[in-house]
């Protein structure tokens, strides 16, 4: 029986734990938090993430518990339509994309995990790689040899640091705001309002709730007083002002957007990095969760091979093209988001659908798993 250690209990870690738990391995999952602490925000899962969930066996449950998103609407601050996208056409499949509460997705992933030893308040303190095993010392003092270690501990991965040292992240934006609201009755699509002020995105995540993502434009990495952050958006068309009447900065989640530079390899020998630990990037393509789910499905298939001594290299070769395509297109979206508003508006009208289709075309193809 092979021993597997998974560091991190987020989307990537739980997904790979589910896929490996009945394969005859002894699996331990460690989580740095003292208990499950899931962000109270939402998540938009593009179609390639839903296809990965189908592979994991949870696609139907996610579609049922979330909200099927069939179109994207991009409007100006007066609600004049700039671009309308048919997501089923872009992705080439029905019920292509889903909005869902992060906690709900977490609960779906963890429900049914019964063959995994879960340790809270625990991280990897030290590790030493060897062709035959990985020597691990945990933060609780326990030492053990593992046949495989999977680093799924997010953008600020300690596992990655133990392999490559400290890799500085690139700061993209200094302040974005996320929160959940009661779903406006007329919002049944991915709905984005844009202006020179910034972006106000509303995504349904179930029949009663919606997730808002707000990014106010700044020069450089300037930040605003949180109490005043939403003031310019109060002049936007309905339902934005009505949403902001109930909004509180204290009940919102604030964070910077950062990007992990490309790694030379996603791990080392028997140690594999997946999810944001391997390729964390800002949400311009909304691919964080989707790529993490793909990683889990691809890695589970690769581990059916008995030889795990160089699985990091095999995994990297399998995933690099797809991830780098996403990174390049994501950076392109980032640059477009910083253009003067009148140029962005013109571009959406002229070539918006063409660009969006090209962005996702390779991702619409099923991965090699």
């Amino acid at each position: 029986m092979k021993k597997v250690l998974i560091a991190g209990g987020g989307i990537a870690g739980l997904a790979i734990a589910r896929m490996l738990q009945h394969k005859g391995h002894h699996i331990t999952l460690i989580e740095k938090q003292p208990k499950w602490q899931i962000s109270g925000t939402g998540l938009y899962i593009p179609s390639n993430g839903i296809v990965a969930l189908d592979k994991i066996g949870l696609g139907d449950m996610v579609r049922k518990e979330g909200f099927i998103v069939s179109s994207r609407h991009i409007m100006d601050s007066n609600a004049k339509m700039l671009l309308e996208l048919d997501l089923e056409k872009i992705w080439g499949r029905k019920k292509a994309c889903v909005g869902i509460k992060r906690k709900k997705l977490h609960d779906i992933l963890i429900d049914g995990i019964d063959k995994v030893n879960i340790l809270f308040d625990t991280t990897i303190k030290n590790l030493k790689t060897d062709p035959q095993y990985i020597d691990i010392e945990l933060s609780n003092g326990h030492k053990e040899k593992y046949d495989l270690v999977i680093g799924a501990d997010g953008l600020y991965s300690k596992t990655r640091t133990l392999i490559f040292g400290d890799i500085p992240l690139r700061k993209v934006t200094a302040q974005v705001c996320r929160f959940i609201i009661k779903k406006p009755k007329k919002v049944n699509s991915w709905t984005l309002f844009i202006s020179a002020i910034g972006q106000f995105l509303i995504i349904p995540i179930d029949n009663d709730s919606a997730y808002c993502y707000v990014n106010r434009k700044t020069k450089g990495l300037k930040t605003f007083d949180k109490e005043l952050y939403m003031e310019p958006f109060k002049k936007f068309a309905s339902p934005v002002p009505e949403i902001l009447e109930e909004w509180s900065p204290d009940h919102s989640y604030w964070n910077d957007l950062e990007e992990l530079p490309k790694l030379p390899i996603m791990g080392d020998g028997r140690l594999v990095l997946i999810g944001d630990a391997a390729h964390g990037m800002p949400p311009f393509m909304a691919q964080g969760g989707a790529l993490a789910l793909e990683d889990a499905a691809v890695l589970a298939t690769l581990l059916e091979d008995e030889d795990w001594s160089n699985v990091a290299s095999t995994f990297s070769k399998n995933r690099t093209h797809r991830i780098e395509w996403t990174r390049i297109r994501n950076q392109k979206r980032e640059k477009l988001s910083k253009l003067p508003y009148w140029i962005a508006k013109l571009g959406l009208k002229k070539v918006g659908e063409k660009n969006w289709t090209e962005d996702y075309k390779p991702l619409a193809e099923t991965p090699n798993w």
Side-chain angles (χ1 to χ4, degrees):
M1 179 180 288
K2 293 183 176 181
K3 290 188 289 186
V4 179
L5 177 67
I6 302 170
I11 292 173
L14 290 176
I16 190 64
R18 278 196 71 112
M19 296 200 77
L20 295 182
Q21 69 171 345
H22 296 300
K23 300 292 185 179
H25 311 308
H26 183 275
I27 302 173
T28 299
L29 185 150
I30 58 173
E31 167 55 44
K32 68 179 180 180
Q33 302 293 345
K35 61 180 180 179
W36 295 126
Q37 295 180 10
I38 309 305
S39 166
T41 61
L43 182 69
Y44 171 69
I45 310 177
S47 186
N48 59 310
I50 300 300
V51 170
L53 283 164
D54 284 333
K55 177 73 174 177
I56 297 167
L58 298 174
D60 287 342
M61 179 62 70
V62 168
R63 292 183 185 93
K64 177 184 175 183
E65 296 294 332
F67 191 97
I68 304 296
V69 180
S70 299
S71 60
R72 283 190 177 199
H73 295 164
I74 302 179
M75 297 175 279
D76 67 15
S77 60
N78 296 316
K80 180 181 179 181
M81 189 70 70
L82 302 175
L83 180 64
E84 185 172 1
L85 297 168
D86 181 339
L87 293 176
E88 294 185 350
K89 177 183 176 183
I90 286 175
W91 287 98
R93 56 180 69 100
K94 298 291 184 182
K95 298 182 178 179
C97 308
V98 174
I100 193 168
K101 290 180 179 177
R102 280 186 176 270
K103 186 178 185 307
K104 177 59 69 175
L105 177 60
H106 182 273
D107 291 346
I108 290 171
L109 286 167
I110 201 168
D111 185 35
I113 290 183
D114 52 9
K115 300 290 185 181
V116 177
N117 180 32
I118 300 177
L119 303 177
F120 291 101
D121 201 19
T122 306
T123 60
I124 298 175
K125 182 178 180 181
N126 289 302
L127 65 83
K128 183 179 179 181
T129 60
D130 183 275
Q132 302 302 318
Y133 58 82
I134 300 178
D135 217 339
I136 294 290
E137 180 184 1
L138 298 178
S139 57
N140 61 12
H142 179 72
K143 297 180 180 181
E144 192 162 350
K145 290 177 170 60
Y146 289 91
D147 297 283
L148 177 73
V149 174
I150 302 172
D153 45 347
L155 184 62
Y156 308 105
S157 170
K158 184 175 181 180
T159 310
R160 184 183 67 237
T161 300
L162 288 170
I163 307 171
F164 296 114
D166 186 29
I167 300 176
L169 303 177
R170 181 176 69 90
K171 184 168 284 192
V172 175
T173 300
Q175 189 182 40
V176 298
C177 181
R178 311 168 196 247
F179 52 99
I180 288 180
I181 60 168
K182 181 179 179 181
K183 187 181 83 66
K185 290 183 179 180
K186 293 183 179 181
V187 176
N188 294 299
S189 64
W190 185 101
T191 303
L192 176 65
F193 295 87
I194 65 170
S195 79
I197 296 299
Q199 303 173 336
F200 198 108
L201 174 62
I202 310 168
I203 306 172
I205 51 178
D206 60 34
N207 289 329
D208 301 312
S209 308
Y211 163 54
C212 293
Y213 171 96
V214 187
N215 185 2
R216 187 168 167 184
K217 278 194 171 183
T218 67
K219 289 185 178 180
L221 298 174
K222 176 185 175 182
T223 59
F224 297 92
D225 184 325
K226 291 179 181 179
E227 294 286 345
L228 303 176
Y229 189 86
M230 296 295 178
E231 285 301 312
F233 296 103
K234 291 180 179 179
K235 297 178 182 179
F236 278 30
S238 179
V240 176
E242 293 85 348
I243 290 171
L244 293 178
E245 285 179 6
E246 305 293 328
W247 173 79
S248 166
D250 296 331
H251 297 131
S252 301
Y253 293 82
W254 301 84
N255 67 290
D256 301 338
L257 299 184
E258 297 174 293
E259 180 186 69
L260 174 68
K262 180 183 176 181
L263 300 179
I265 183 173
M266 288 183 275
D268 180 16
R270 293 174 174 269
L271 192 155
V272 184
L273 299 172
I274 65 174
D276 282 352
H279 45 71
M281 60 188 81
F284 297 105
M285 290 275 286
Q287 281 293 313
L291 290 179
L293 292 164
E294 282 190 6
D295 285 349
V298 170
L299 181 58
T301 299
L302 293 177
L303 293 177
E304 292 175 4
D305 190 318
E306 289 296 317
D307 183 7
W308 292 359
S309 61
N310 204 25
V311 68
S313 177
T314 306
F315 177 74
S316 296
K317 289 176 183 177
N318 185 296
R319 298 292 290 151
T320 293
H321 176 74
R322 199 170 175 92
I323 289 167
E324 286 314 301
W325 170 271
T326 306
R327 186 193 308 277
I328 290 167
R329 304 302 281 205
N330 202 63
Q331 290 173 349
K332 178 183 175 183
R333 291 265 189 99
E334 175 191 339
K335 291 177 182 176
L336 291 173
S337 74
K338 295 177 180 180
L339 288 175
Y341 171 61
W342 70 269
I343 297 177
K345 184 177 177 180
L346 182 62
L348 285 170
K349 288 182 176 181
K350 295 291 185 180
V351 294
E353 183 171 0
K354 175 178 177 290
N355 286 343
W356 235 277
T357 302
E358 288 177 354
D359 283 349
Y360 290 110
K361 186 175 181 179
L363 299 177
E365 300 171 2
T366 303
N368 179 23
W369 54 41

